[in-house]
Amino acid sequence: MDKEVAKVYETYDYDKFHIMEKGNRDINHVSAIKKSMQKEFLFSPIIVNKNMEIVDGQNRFFASKELGKPIYYIIRPEYGINEVRLLNSGAKNWGKRDFIKSYAEEGNEEYQMILDFMKKFPDFSAHIVEYILRLSSSNTVLGSMDSSKKNANTAMSDGTFKVKDWRKSIQIAEWLMQYKPFHKNIYKRIPFVVAIIRLSRDPQFDNNEVVRKIQQNPRAFVPCVNSEEFIRMIEEIVNFRSRNKIRFNV
């Protein structure tokens, strides 16, 4: 015989449930879930803890409440915000921004810095922000990374992310924003971000000079496939009609 590990309860008493004040994700998918429920109301229990705080299923709860549907729920008394993150870390429910907000609200100063950075530079996605704050010199996809790089890539959701150099990251972001007038997407693409981070390590690189040269010849600033191609493109832009040719060694 299979073992019973949890009981599922049903109720229409919506007021007995609570939302975690800090650390949980924003409520932002209710409309889509309501549409789905109106087509067919499936049996999909939410999970709550001993305080009746919703650990998993916030959007389903609000959609069911707005439609006047019953709430099916399972009680896991010991669950808290750590379990919320674990439940969502392997799913598509939470993105980097959700994890950043969660750890920041819990008081993690490192993540509060990340949140401040994102507010200062709203053009950049959480994924790009991670590259900038790591000062990453590689745009290699996760699948081909070694284990140490994979660990670095999951640090944001694990709560172990560390800002490498705040001042340098701010400078990189400000430099990137200078390219926005020339192309609506290049400045916030990973290969270009990585290229600028790499170039920042070469004492010959002068971002203001690159921007000045692009202003003179904006057609030279074009999309590239990877960071190496972007570096060579910037090199050509700087060297155009210049007597002293530069070769960036990064």
Side-chain angles (χ1 to χ4, degrees):
M1 292 289 292
D2 293 338
K3 181 181 178 181
E4 181 183 282
V5 295
K7 291 184 178 180
V8 179
Y9 300 90
E10 176 186 323
T11 185
Y12 283 88
D13 183 3
Y14 308 115
D15 293 336
K16 72 191 300 178
F17 301 97
H18 310 288
I19 301 301
M20 287 187 179
E21 291 185 7
K22 295 182 179 180
N24 213 334
R25 72 180 306 198
D26 294 330
I27 312 300
N28 53 11
H29 295 298
V30 175
S31 295
I33 294 176
K34 277 176 64 178
K35 288 181 181 178
S36 175
M37 286 183 172
Q38 285 171 332
K39 291 180 181 178
E40 185 174 2
F41 186 71
L42 299 176
F43 180 78
S44 184
I46 65 172
I47 300 175
V48 301
N49 60 20
K50 63 182 179 181
N51 300 317
M52 298 304 287
E53 294 174 316
I54 300 173
V55 176
D56 181 59
Q58 285 186 153
N59 288 291
R60 275 176 282 139
F61 166 76
F62 282 104
S64 297
K65 179 180 177 181
E66 290 181 20
L67 292 172
K69 300 289 187 181
I71 303 296
Y72 301 117
Y73 66 99
I74 297 170
I75 302 175
R76 299 298 298 183
E78 72 281 14
Y79 278 14
I81 189 58
N82 289 332
E83 284 70 30
V84 171
R85 296 190 191 110
L86 285 171
L87 282 166
N88 289 283
S89 61
K92 294 181 179 179
N93 297 348
W94 274 31
K96 290 183 187 294
R97 190 177 294 269
D98 295 307
F99 284 104
I100 293 167
K101 179 177 176 291
S102 177
Y103 286 114
E105 288 183 348
E106 197 177 32
N108 187 311
E109 293 182 1
E110 207 77 19
Y111 283 75
Q112 289 171 348
M113 289 174 66
I114 301 170
L115 209 56
D116 288 343
F117 189 92
M118 294 175 72
K119 290 176 182 177
K120 185 177 179 65
F121 301 102
D123 285 53
F124 302 124
S125 68
H127 195 53
I128 293 297
V129 166
E130 182 177 9
Y131 268 80
I132 298 171
L133 293 178
R134 284 205 267 133
L135 295 175
S136 176
S137 59
S138 171
N139 51 278
T140 309
V141 295
L142 180 61
S144 58
M145 287 184 179
D146 60 32
S147 59
S148 64
K149 289 181 180 177
K150 285 181 179 179
N151 290 337
N153 203 65
T154 60
M156 191 69 84
S157 58
D158 292 343
T160 57
F161 186 87
K162 300 293 182 184
V163 176
K164 190 170 184 179
D165 185 329
W166 177 258
R167 289 186 180 180
K168 183 69 175 291
S169 294
I170 291 290
Q171 182 185 58
I172 294 295
E174 289 175 344
W175 283 354
L176 289 167
M177 291 303 298
Q178 288 182 267
Y179 296 92
K180 183 178 180 179
F182 307 116
H183 195 284
K184 64 179 182 179
N185 291 319
I186 289 178
Y187 74 103
K188 55 184 179 180
R189 287 184 56 202
I190 287 174
F192 185 71
V193 172
V194 171
I196 295 299
I197 291 171
R198 290 174 60 188
L199 286 167
S200 71
R201 297 167 185 167
D202 192 316
Q204 301 178 95
F205 179 69
D206 183 341
N207 195 71
N208 290 330
E209 177 64 9
V210 177
V211 172
R212 188 183 71 82
K213 285 291 190 78
I214 294 175
Q215 287 172 337
Q216 294 175 353
N217 186 20
R219 291 185 179 180
F221 188 63
V222 296
C224 297
V225 174
N226 53 48
S227 60
E228 188 64 33
E229 287 189 13
F230 271 118
I231 290 171
R232 300 285 79 89
M233 178 192 72
I234 291 173
E235 200 173 72
E236 290 178 6
I237 290 171
V238 172
N239 289 331
F240 182 68
R241 292 181 179 176
S242 176
R243 292 182 179 180
N244 301 316
K245 305 299 183 183
I246 291 176
R247 178 72 177 181
F248 294 119
N249 297 308
V250 290

